[in-house]
Amino acid sequence: AQKITQTQPGMFVQEKEAVTLDCTYDTSDPSYGLFWYKQPSSGEMIFLIYQGSYDQQNATEGRYSLNFQKARKSANLVISASQLGDSAMYFCAMRSTLNSGYSTLTFGKGTMLLVSP
Amino acid sequence: NAGVTQTPKFQVLKTGQSMTLQCAQDMNHEYMSWYRQDPGMGLRLIHYSVGAGITDQGEVPNGYNVSRSTTEDFPLRLLSAAPSQTSVYFCASSRQGSQTEAFFGQGTRLTVV
């Protein structure tokens, strides 16, 4: 069975500092994708970044980077130069193959990030 | 540029009532899914569809029914609402494949009293 684990229920960071949100995963599929989503207090789910299991380089999108360590099965999100608008819930997710042969997203429980001035 | 549209945004039901949450996407995506979000639980998959006429159960399917008669629409039916179904519901769509992100609707906040 596929599983995503986010061990940090909450994180605090000061504005302009970098922060790492942890994510570990478990899957037996050789091909999978890892995703991070942001959910601000308004409730919508915003896609941030994607990493493929065969990608050699860590993904980056602006201030977001994904620290992918395949042997450790971890896919941590790094936010550089935090901003007040980064305060939100962050979900790690994995697209994995079900017994049916189709793929769906499995989510972790989330990490609430609070950025202080 | 609609993307994924969910209606209603808020709903209050009495125990035992039935209702349908609507979901429509205009991106011609094969995959559509319904998730529920509960505090401390993340998003859990209720049902999903890989194309018109093809649906399957996810992690928490009990009490919910789905059908997919068109590529665009994927309604979620609550057959007999229970307080345990109080949650925020998200519909999502995506293309096929492990590399594709899902696009989410705005969510429906459902309260069953």
Side-chain angles (χ1 to χ4, degrees):
Chain A
Q2 290 79 16
K3 188 176 180 181
I4 293 283
T5 302
Q6 294 180 253
T7 57
Q8 306 155 314
M11 289 284 287
F12 293 90
V13 66
Q14 276 200 311
E15 203 175 4
K16 300 179 185 175
E17 291 185 348
V19 62
T20 298
L21 306 184
D22 294 341
C23 173
T24 58
Y25 61 91
D26 190 19
T27 182
S28 56
D29 292 331
S31 176
Y32 51 89
L34 295 156
F35 303 82
W36 278 91
Y37 284 84
K38 173 184 178 182
Q39 186 180 44
S41 58
S42 52
E44 71 267 32
M45 296 289 289
I46 302 169
F47 166 69
L48 293 178
I49 195 167
Y50 159 81
Q51 178 84 43
S53 57
Y54 292 118
D55 292 344
Q56 296 296 315
Q57 292 191 331
N58 287 341
T60 59
E61 289 287 346
R63 295 186 298 110
Y64 304 109
S65 61
L66 201 153
N67 185 0
F68 181 47
Q69 298 188 45
K70 194 170 183 177
R72 294 187 176 184
K73 293 190 174 180
S74 74
N76 298 339
L77 178 70
V78 180
I79 305 175
S80 63
S82 298
Q83 301 172 355
L84 296 178
D86 294 334
S87 294
M89 181 72 85
Y90 289 81
F91 291 100
C92 180
M94 176 172 62
R95 185 173 286 281
S96 50
T97 304
L98 303 171
N99 291 335
S100 61
Y102 301 116
S103 65
T104 61
L105 275 177
T106 300
F107 284 84
K109 295 184 178 182
T111 296
M112 175 65 76
L113 175 66
L114 291 177
V115 181
S116 61
Chain B
N1 205 15
V4 179
T5 303
Q6 277 183 247
T7 55
K9 199 169 175 67
F10 301 95
Q11 183 70 50
V12 178
L13 284 180
K14 293 183 178 179
T15 298
Q17 285 185 320
S18 62
M19 80 158 295
T20 300
L21 306 185
Q22 302 291 345
C23 177
Q25 54 96 2
D26 62 0
M27 297 173 282
N28 203 32
H29 286 165
E30 304 95 334
Y31 278 51
M32 296 186 75
S33 308
W34 276 102
Y35 294 86
R36 61 176 288 172
Q37 182 181 13
D38 301 294
M41 300 294 290
L43 277 76
R44 293 181 293 168
L45 182 65
I46 304 171
H47 285 285
Y48 67 99
S49 169
V50 299
I54 307 171
T55 64
D56 205 347
Q57 298 179 351
E59 182 185 353
V60 287
N62 292 341
Y64 308 95
N65 203 0
V66 293
S67 61
R68 188 144 175 226
S69 56
T70 67
T71 300
E72 295 77 20
D73 299 300
F74 190 44
L76 177 73
R77 297 181 188 84
L78 279 70
L79 308 173
S80 177
S84 61
Q85 294 179 303
T86 293
S87 187
V88 179
Y89 291 85
F90 285 98
C91 178
S93 75
S94 66
R95 294 188 307 274
Q96 204 170 27
S98 63
Q99 298 83 16
T100 58
E101 79 270 24
F103 295 81
F104 283 82
Q106 293 294 305
T108 297
R109 184 172 293 275
L110 176 68
T111 302
V112 182
V113 297

